[in-house]
Amino acid sequence: MARKVLLIPAVCALLMLAAQSDKSYHAERLDVDVVIQPDRSLMVEETVTFRFVGGPFSYVFREIPTERTDGIVDITAGADGVAWPHGDGPGEVEIKGGDPVEVIWHLSPTADTTQTFTLAYRALGVVARTVEADMLEWQALPDEFDFAFDDSRVRFAFPPGGTLAGEPEVMAGTATVSATAGGASFDMQSLSPGDPLVARLSFVPGAFTGAPPVWLTQQEAQNSFAWIWFVVGAVILIGGLAVFYRATSRYARTL
């Protein structure tokens, strides 16, 4: 009997611990507003409303990729309409540079509530210049995220004089697309973790006055020298085969 008396409180404690660790969260709404600038940069504002179940939760995390940009600048973040100061304490936001840029909202212990987080930044040198059109390819939702969300809308506002050269395209993910004279929208519902969105917009040349993105210029320069490396590789291969042929021929004569 003594063992049973001691065992029952132990089981109860285990169940209580499991209940305390049982927490989840999902996004009720995720909106991204992108204003395309004539200098080929983007002004981006993200708003996400999280529903926290259980808890406590201590932080919210977001990564901003920098691929196909000349950098991410002018980052601000906050919650419920209030901008947070930089820091690593509760009620502060931590921003770490690099690729990707990391943004961390540090929360006071949070449980069983709904909270809306905001993030704004400028992405430099995003709109590429091609022979036929100015091309914007933007990943509004990341490849990986560990939460589901109910609804999402990504809206693009065109620069003054910006005219589409073709229909807006979804390069990755699934969305309902609509376009007007001054913008385009991509609407999504019931997205699971890992569902990305990459949108592409092609513009008639003339609306963008900025220089081509640095990353694109560097990429084109690298591609222009690719033939040299191909020739060098071919010469090395042919030279190696010639040496091998001479060596094997000499060995055959020796035998």
Side-chain angles (χ1 to χ4, degrees):
M1 289 296 295
R3 289 186 178 179
K4 291 183 179 179
V5 172
L6 293 174
L7 181 60
I8 291 174
V11 172
C12 291
L14 180 62
L15 292 176
M16 290 176 62
L17 180 61
Q20 291 173 356
S21 63
D22 184 17
K23 61 181 183 179
S24 63
Y25 68 103
H26 77 281
E28 294 181 344
R29 181 90 192 169
L30 172 60
D31 291 318
V32 182
D33 290 292
V34 182
V35 181
I36 307 171
Q37 304 296 308
D39 65 356
R40 301 182 183 274
S41 69
L42 307 179
M43 298 296 294
V44 183
E45 293 187 3
E46 301 179 2
T47 303
V48 56
T49 300
F50 280 119
R51 175 63 181 169
F52 298 103
V53 178
F57 295 85
S58 59
Y59 69 92
V60 170
F61 179 79
R62 167 78 165 102
E63 289 186 343
I64 309 174
T66 61
E67 293 92 348
R68 298 175 66 88
T69 78
D70 288 339
I72 304 296
V73 298
D74 301 334
I75 304 172
T76 59
D80 298 327
V82 178
W84 286 10
H86 290 193
D88 57 5
E92 297 177 335
V93 62
E94 189 175 3
I95 300 173
K96 301 179 180 181
D99 182 18
V101 176
E102 299 179 357
V103 183
I104 307 172
W105 290 258
H106 292 280
L107 313 177
S108 300
T110 300
D112 296 318
T113 190
T114 299
Q115 194 166 9
T116 299
F117 299 88
T118 54
L119 174 64
Y121 56 92
R122 188 184 192 107
L124 302 176
V126 180
V127 181
R129 185 176 66 187
T130 66
V131 175
E132 299 179 351
D134 288 303
M135 186 79 67
L136 168 62
E137 189 170 300
W138 183 247
Q139 182 161 352
L141 301 181
D143 290 326
E144 297 181 3
F145 48 90
D146 59 359
F147 59 89
F149 52 88
D150 300 333
D151 296 286
S152 178
R153 170 173 288 180
V154 179
R155 291 172 289 204
F156 292 89
F158 299 164
T163 304
L164 289 177
E167 294 296 324
E169 300 176 80
V170 178
M171 307 307 295
T174 303
T176 300
V177 184
S178 58
T180 64
S185 296
F186 297 75
D187 290 278
M188 296 145 285
Q189 291 81 36
S190 303
L191 285 167
S192 302
D195 288 340
L197 175 70
V198 178
R200 176 185 286 177
L201 300 172
S202 301
F203 293 93
V204 175
F208 298 94
T209 57
V214 175
W215 65 266
L216 180 62
T217 303
Q218 293 174 343
Q219 186 180 83
E220 291 174 343
Q222 292 173 355
N223 292 340
S224 66
F225 288 104
W227 68 272
I228 297 177
W229 295 110
F230 176 80
V231 171
V232 170
V235 169
I236 294 174
L237 177 61
I238 293 172
L241 291 175
V243 171
F244 176 77
Y245 174 76
R246 291 176 182 174
T248 54
S249 298
R250 188 179 302 112
Y251 178 73
R253 289 195 298 270
T254 302
L255 291 178

